[in-house]
Amino acid sequence: MAMVTIDGRKVEVDAGTTILNAAKKLGIDIPTLCHHPDLAVQAVCRICVVEIEGQKLLQPACAFPVQDGMVVYTNTPRVRQARKVNLELLLARHPQDCLQCVRNRSCELQALAERFGMREIRFEHKLRGLPEDHSTPAIVREPDKCILCRRCVSMCHDVQAAGVLFPSRRGADTVVTPVFGRGLDEVACALCGQCIHACPVGAISERDDTERVWQALADPNKHVVVQTAPATRVSIGEEMGLPPGQIITGKLVAALRRLGFDKVMDTDFTADLTIIEEGNEFLKRLKEGGVLPMITSCSPGWIKFGEHFYPDLLKHISTCKSPQQMFGALVKTYYARKAGIDPKDIFSVSLMPCTAKKYEADRPEMCDSGYKDVDVVLTSRELGRMLREAGIRFEDLPEEEHDDPMGISTGAAAIFGATGGVMEAALRTVYEVATGSELPKIDFEEVRGLKGIKEAQVKVGDLDVRVAVAHGLGNAKKILDLLREGKANYHFIEIMCCPGGCVGGGGQPIPTTMEIRGIRGNALYEADRGLPYRKSHENPAIKQIYAEFLGEPLGEVSHHLLHTHYTPRQKYPSVAKAVCGEAAG
Amino acid sequence: MEFYRSHVLVCGGTPCVLEGCKGVRDALIAEVKRRGLDREVKVVETGCLGPCDLGPVIVVYPEGTLYQKVRVSDVPEIVEQHLLKGRVVTRLVGEAPQAGVVKYEEPTYLGVQERIVLRNCGVIDPESIEEYIARDGYRALAKCLTEMKPADVIEAVKKSGLVGRGGAAFPTGLKWSFTAKADADQKYILCNADEGEPGTFKDRLILEGDPHSILEGMAIAGYAVGADKGFIYVRGEYVLSIERLGKAIEQAKALGLLGSNIFGSGFSFDVEIRKGAGAYVCGEETGLIESIEGKRGEPRIKPPYPGTEGLYGKPTVVNNVETIANIPPILLNGPDWFRKFGTERCPGTKVFTLTGDINNKGLIEVPMGITLRRVIYEIGGGIPGGREFKMAQTGGTSGGCLPKELLDVPMDYFTLPEHGSALGSGALLIMDASHCIVDIAECFMRFFEHESCGKCTPCREGTARLHEIVAKIARGEGKPGDLELLDELGSVMQVSSLCGLGQAAPVPIKTMLKYFRDEFEAHINDRLCPTGTCGI
Ligand SMILES: Cc1cc2nc3c(=O)[nH]c(=O)nc-3n(C[C@H](O)[C@H](O)[C@H](O)COP(=O)(O)O)c2cc1C
Ligand code: SF4
Ligand code: SF4
Ligand code: SF4
Ligand code: SF4
Ligand code: FES
Ligand code: FES
């Protein structure tokens, strides 16, 4: 333990605690910019500097460890001057386009400028004039806005293991960029969007597709259908000013109707369907000696990562499409037929927590309905913008229900949005399908929570099924490396690209921290508990679609509409732009 | 992307600027353009190319031809002959740079009976281990291994009062004791021979002139702290140093003076050479470590310090070449002997590269605490043409400016900072009164802008802004408030930059503002250069 004095007040903390955290205990909020609670210490912005008695230099509070007896001052003239000049230096190289910026009002730089009352910048305003990166359908980079805090670098390397973003060049020419200044389409980027959550400013953001949705909604000839992903029902509230972790499913449905969507259906329905298909695929692999372990396939960021870094392991991945793409294929076939609408007039929108889903929808093979299965993917943040623009206020909305025939879902589908949820949902169904008897205990606590890699063993009949769950690509990498070495002794592995699972997706509201990921995940488990059906195979709408349309799990129609294949990719891919219906590049 | 047939590098290091390289650069650009070669030949300004006393220096690539003492009047011939016709202008090609040790009558001037660091330079054949051994070489190591415990070695170095000669002046014995105390399966000794300061080549001459003294000093350090592996990180351009070190390592190994179980003591020590990546900041100890590890050469945050978590996360001693060269004599002759030289607070000697407006250029070893006046007028033979002294600069990073007010202040690591300046590591660049201070300031600030690694805000943005503002003043575009802004920005950089580069970058400009403010003000208020030399 160490007793330190900060601004005249004493506090006891563990030795080695940073000054920043020690000050927090005293209620002193030291300003930061390159610091992120979940990421490695950078200590490069020098905004958080403080004075330590007996030292000539100021020290960064975010990095400097306290020692017993240390006396710290966080608010002296020298400290304030250093912070302000450093901020002034950053702003003098910054576009200051707040009014046109995607991060207006959620930007840490802007908030600091306000906090410090920056009224004058004495250095000449000089931008770096770097080109923007619009090379992918998911992520936009505006390097001129980058303040070189390197948080995205830590996220991309340490957490996501993709290692795509680097600091490059030197001095005032320094940039953070993919190698050789390439576009994100020319490197092994998972398009996970986690770098967006790392970024304190508007230098990285999602591609905004709201205008295409507004246009479709305004087009009288379009029948616009929206699907809502599991994780969005516990996050959209944050876009509308509510605290994290509110379950707002009913209000979300009402809000989407008010925006003008013709049908509001649920990705949770196809999540249940995924469990039926994937569960049966797993049982089939077990029975017929297929490739094991089988790895889940519903996270497109993980799929792209796997295609770049583990092309040799693709046969382990379930052939099931993600719930988004199952929905897309069905809305223009099953639903179109049932509703008597020409599929070419259906405009299919999906509301997702995810940036990689934008890319997935654009994959050339995702056109099994004969049309582009999903026309536009909106992230939670984009929907938030549309709702605010339309003046929809959550407090005034009633709770409404999703539309049929793809609107009923179970608790098993809801937890798809949290790490471990797909595994838990699958186990609930696999157990009962394989054994024909009811599960004694439906909650699989071992696979829940934010531990990086979770393992469990479940007795299904005579077999001890060994499962593992990894979230965040860095954790996935650990398991995949074991698998490659032949040391992953599992039958079934769940991988979700984003830390915390889809609740922490790259398209979720800002801020998304580990703490908030956990809160959203817990809300999904709460939603699960409150639902009448909690096992996918009990969903009546699922029984109905097999009876009316699909026939049987893994059957002919399923094979055509609900399953897919994967494409080995290089680490430095050349860009092949295939369009709907063409073979994958 | 544009492709050029030839690149002409014009040295923009401070010594070359003082010799008029800017005029040469402008003339080259104009001449290349006039001859219609500007799409084929690119003229680029670079940092110090090494042979500073031969400036202005230019190099033509791809041939790599080095022209020295180039005058504006030589430019048309270089363009006509070399760039147009491909014929080297032989009259401007010099010998490979080989600056020497300044010869002076030691007893007369200094009361120093022997040199310490340069004791063997120019005296022995550096490629002969026998000659080194004949001058007591490896005796200190033998003494340590056979007669002393590691703790005694550290105690002796502590007692000697030796502080690091790489710039930061950290007490060497204390540094070693941290690493000695650290508990680890592996420790390292790093010899810092990156020597990136413009106008400095003291470490190079020590390595070239007495490579075994470095190996011996490193082995002693290894014994003292419990390290069995050493690396010498040598600036890539120091080809001869690398060659001679390589030979020395082989010779020492052949005689069992490096390798396993040295002198049957059970102590083993190996040394490897690593070539520098070229950036000035790689000389900063943690940048150097990152560079050896194969990463981008950028400083790390401290703590943890290298002494406890350095190379590959292991406890690591980083010492400058000159610091290490002091080790064998200290151990051989004892700390009390060492304390006879220099001052009470700062014992020993200091090696400088004396350059600029001075009659005797080259390497000098003087006792700590000597005054600048004695260096210039007694050792350096005064200023050419009897011109008036304006200021001296003591080295790119950790150094500062010494105006004539400080001519009689003892030069050591502790006294100069009390006067707002610093001793630095190696360069001693003398400037006479004919130079414009704003011009010199611009040149310094350009160096730092160029060398900032870009990691932290105050240095990355601050060095660029210091340069921008000074450059404007130099062009006659300065405005009221500029000097205050320079002062304020400089202060913030000094206290909040991540590494020594950003912390030291404003020191020259701040001392210049302190001692030559009127000259800056004349440029701003009257659009006038009091020395009448700069381009305003
Ligand atoms: C930007 C920068 C460049 C440096 N370059 C060198 C160098 O070239 N050689 C050197 O010995 N020390 C250099 N140093 C100092 C080293 O960080 C370190 O303090 C030194 O090598 C320690 O050795 P010493 O204790 O023997 O002086 C540099 C420091 C900074 C901040
Ligand atoms: S990144 Fe922040 S400060 Fe910059 S323009 Fe956008 S909102 Fe404003
Ligand atoms: S989207 Fe993911 S993989 Fe791509 S750069 Fe960002 S963090 Fe890295
Ligand atoms: S892109 Fe954003 S997170 Fe990455 S370095 Fe720039 S400002 Fe920081
Ligand atoms: S002070 Fe300069 S050189 Fe040092 S870390 Fe900061 S930017 Fe890099
Ligand atoms: S927040 Fe501490 S240096 Fe950036
Ligand atoms: S060679 Fe030009 S300054 Fe060193």
Side-chain angles (χ1 to χ4, degrees), chain A residues 34-346:
Chain A
C34 68
H35 171 79
H36 187 289
D38 306 334
L39 297 172
V41 170
Q42 306 297 327
V44 297
C45 76
R46 315 309 269 190
I47 293 292
C48 69
V49 286
V50 295
E51 207 165 318
I52 300 173
E53 215 166 80
Q55 295 203 17
K56 267 196 308 209
L57 299 178
L58 303 181
Q59 294 291 356
C62 67
F64 208 84
V66 298
Q67 273 168 16
D68 197 38
M70 195 181 258
V71 179
V72 179
Y73 299 95
T74 74
N75 188 16
T76 64
R78 234 156 57 102
V79 163
R80 280 199 306 276
Q81 181 186 52
R83 289 177 183 166
K84 265 188 120 147
V85 168
N86 285 333
L87 189 56
E88 203 178 339
L89 286 169
L90 288 173
L91 291 174
R93 245 197 234 282
H94 190 82
Q96 304 175 31
D97 276 341
C98 302
L99 290 184
Q100 290 107 295
C101 182
V102 64
R103 289 295 288 272
N104 193 8
R105 301 181 66 233
S106 66
C107 171
E108 293 179 37
L109 182 64
Q110 188 189 47
L112 277 180
E114 192 277 334
R115 181 167 166 182
F116 283 99
M118 301 300 290
R119 298 290 175 266
E120 188 200 0
I121 290 159
R122 290 166 295 174
F123 307 105
E124 200 183 313
H125 195 205
K126 258 193 197 159
L127 301 185
R128 280 167 290 181
L130 297 164
E132 297 180 0
D133 177 1
H134 293 272
S135 64
T136 71
I139 289 177
V140 175
R141 290 176 51 252
E142 295 172 70
D144 261 8
K145 288 185 182 161
C146 173
I147 48 123
L148 301 169
C149 71
R150 304 181 177 205
R151 281 160 47 163
C152 59
V153 177
S154 169
M155 178 61 92
C156 190
H157 289 251
D158 308 339
V159 181
Q160 291 302 70
V164 160
L165 298 171
F166 297 91
S168 171
R169 302 199 238 151
R170 297 160 43 79
D173 293 331
T174 306
V175 287
V176 166
T177 167
V179 274
F180 307 133
R182 290 173 177 226
L184 284 175
D185 62 340
E186 293 175 295
V187 293
C189 169
L191 298 174
C192 66
Q194 289 305 316
C195 46
I196 300 174
H197 288 311
C199 187
V201 296
I204 318 181
S205 57
E206 69 286 351
R207 185 179 77 183
D208 188 303
D209 289 313
T210 53
E211 198 44 47
R212 288 172 62 207
V213 176
W214 285 125
Q215 273 174 20
L217 290 171
D219 184 343
N221 299 320
K222 287 277 181 238
H223 181 77
V224 189
V225 179
V226 64
Q227 52 168 319
T228 59
T232 58
R233 68 208 61 210
V234 291
S235 66
I236 294 292
E238 293 161 51
E239 285 293 324
M240 306 308 284
L242 299 175
Q246 307 290 307
I247 307 166
I248 44 77
T249 321
K251 285 184 188 268
L252 173 61
V253 173
L256 289 164
R257 290 218 173 91
R258 274 152 190 73
L259 277 182
F261 286 98
D262 296 297
K263 289 286 173 195
V264 181
M265 293 194 271
D266 204 349
T267 317
D268 280 21
F269 167 81
T270 37
D272 279 330
L273 188 58
T274 302
I275 289 303
I276 305 299
E277 291 289 324
E278 198 166 86
N280 279 288
E281 180 186 355
F282 177 60
L283 290 172
K284 187 165 178 236
R285 289 193 190 211
L286 271 179
K287 207 181 307 161
E288 296 176 4
V291 179
L292 289 174
M294 185 175 92
I295 311 177
T296 58
S297 59
C298 42
S299 169
W302 138 236
I303 296 296
K304 189 162 188 283
F305 178 81
E307 289 176 332
H308 285 295
F309 291 97
Y310 297 93
D312 50 320
L313 301 182
L314 296 180
K315 56 190 180 303
H316 288 274
I317 305 177
S318 161
T319 59
C320 286
K321 284 183 184 170
S322 72
Q324 158 173 288
Q325 292 306 139
M326 286 198 182
F327 187 100
L330 292 173
V331 77
K332 294 192 181 180
T333 53
Y334 172 61
Y335 169 72
R337 191 186 303 172
K338 249 180 119 76
I341 300 171
D342 187 338
K344 83 169 173 11
D345 295 330
I346 295 180

Side-chain angles (χ1 to χ4, degrees), chain A residues 46, chain B residues 281 284 286 299-300 302 456 493 497-504:
Chain A
R46 315 309 269 190
Chain B
V281 78
E284 195 281 337
T286 56
R300 297 177 178 171
K302 295 186 250 185
C456 70
M493 291 169 67
S497 291
L498 191 150
C499 89
L501 193 152
Q503 289 157 13

Side-chain angles (χ1 to χ4, degrees), chain B residues 194-459:
Chain B
D194 195 47
E195 195 160 60
E197 280 183 22
T200 310
F201 41 84
K202 66 166 181 90
D203 292 345
R204 188 185 94 208
L205 290 194
I206 297 170
L207 294 175
E208 287 174 9
D210 197 12
H212 283 287
S213 68
I214 300 306
L215 302 182
E216 183 178 5
M218 289 176 74
I220 293 172
Y223 176 68
V225 306
D228 63 1
K229 178 98 205 168
F231 291 94
I232 309 179
Y233 186 86
V234 193
R235 187 174 169 169
E237 293 92 324
Y238 286 3
V239 182
L240 188 59
S241 302
I242 293 170
E243 200 184 299
R244 291 206 172 141
L245 276 171
K247 278 192 192 147
I249 292 171
E250 271 173 37
Q251 293 169 347
K253 274 191 182 158
L255 294 187
L257 298 168
L258 281 182
S260 52
N261 195 15
I262 303 169
F263 295 127
S265 64
F267 170 69
S268 306
F269 195 74
D270 265 317
V271 177
E272 276 181 44
I273 303 171
R274 288 283 183 276
K275 266 203 248 177
Y280 175 53
V281 78
C282 288
E284 195 281 337
E285 54 190 7
T286 56
L288 183 150
I289 287 171
E290 290 276 295
S291 174
I292 294 186
E293 288 182 9
K295 304 189 195 131
R296 184 177 153 96
E298 270 181 0
R300 297 177 178 171
I301 340 159
K302 295 186 250 185
Y305 296 93
T308 49
E309 262 179 62
L311 187 63
Y312 305 112
K314 304 293 181 189
T316 303
V317 168
V318 184
N319 273 135
N320 172 256
V321 169
E322 185 185 343
T323 313
I324 293 176
N326 274 296
I327 295 297
I330 288 176
L331 270 305
L332 196 61
N333 306 315
D336 294 334
W337 166 83
F338 187 73
R339 295 197 79 98
K340 285 197 288 206
F341 308 100
T343 60
E344 176 59 31
R345 278 199 293 180
C346 202
T349 59
K350 182 78 197 86
V351 179
F352 288 108
T353 323
L354 196 56
T355 53
D357 301 322
I358 187 93
N359 282 319
N360 303 335
K361 292 181 188 148
L363 217 59
I364 57 170
E365 180 172 359
V366 292
M368 282 283 183
I370 192 173
T371 63
L372 184 57
R373 186 182 303 278
R374 290 187 64 197
V375 169
I376 296 175
Y377 295 100
E378 297 179 14
I379 301 171
I383 293 174
R387 280 192 299 274
E388 194 194 336
F389 168 78
K390 182 162 196 164
M391 59 172 257
Q393 199 245 344
T394 53
T397 167
S398 30
C401 292
L402 310 180
K404 65 174 182 295
E405 285 84 343
L406 299 185
L407 267 175
D408 293 309
V409 171
M411 292 203 293
D412 69 40
Y413 278 112
F414 304 105
T415 314
L416 285 181
E418 290 164 5
H419 295 81
S421 191
L423 187 56
S425 87
L428 198 49
L429 175 65
I430 312 298
M431 284 168 254
D432 68 32
S434 68
H435 301 290
C436 162
I437 198 77
V438 180
D439 223 21
I440 297 170
E442 202 228 308
C443 168
F444 285 8
M445 293 307 107
R446 178 152 27 93
F447 172 76
F448 285 114
E449 176 181 13
H450 190 257
E451 295 300 338
S452 165
C453 82
K455 186 167 178 169
C456 70
T457 308
C459 171

Side-chain angles (χ1 to χ4, degrees), chain A residues 4 6-7 9-13 18-31 74-75 115:
Chain A
V4 281
I6 306 180
D7 296 341
R9 287 188 294 146
K10 284 192 163 32
V11 64
E12 200 178 25
V13 291
T18 61
I19 293 174
L20 182 70
N21 287 334
K24 211 170 269 168
K25 272 190 103 175
L26 286 171
I28 300 168
D29 175 24
I30 296 173
T74 74
N75 188 16
R115 181 167 166 182

Side-chain angles (χ1 to χ4, degrees), chain B residues 121-200:
Chain B
C121 289
V123 177
I124 63 169
D125 172 1
E127 301 196 1
S128 158
I129 190 169
E130 289 77 17
E131 290 196 21
Y132 179 69
I133 291 172
R135 304 242 317 160
D136 289 341
Y138 290 105
R139 261 188 61 203
L141 178 62
K143 180 175 167 190
C144 291
L145 294 188
T146 56
E147 297 169 21
M148 297 172 83
K149 289 203 281 295
D152 302 336
V153 177
I154 293 181
E155 202 43 43
V157 176
K158 271 191 185 166
K159 269 206 194 129
S160 76
L162 176 67
V163 301
R165 303 299 198 235
F170 196 85
T172 307
L174 187 61
K175 185 184 271 193
W176 289 13
S177 70
F178 295 146
T179 304
K181 258 184 268 165
D183 185 24
D185 54 351
Q186 174 76 58
K187 298 179 187 179
Y188 297 105
I189 306 294
L190 292 190
C191 171
N192 189 343
D194 195 47
E195 195 160 60
E197 280 183 22
T200 310

Side-chain angles (χ1 to χ4, degrees), chain B residues 505-526:
Chain B
V507 172
I509 183 88
K510 285 194 71 180
T511 32
M512 289 182 205
L513 283 171
K514 182 166 163 199
Y515 292 106
F516 302 98
R517 205 172 188 93
D518 48 345
E519 223 176 297
F520 283 93
E521 279 166 353
H523 280 75
I524 295 175
N525 300 333
D526 312 328

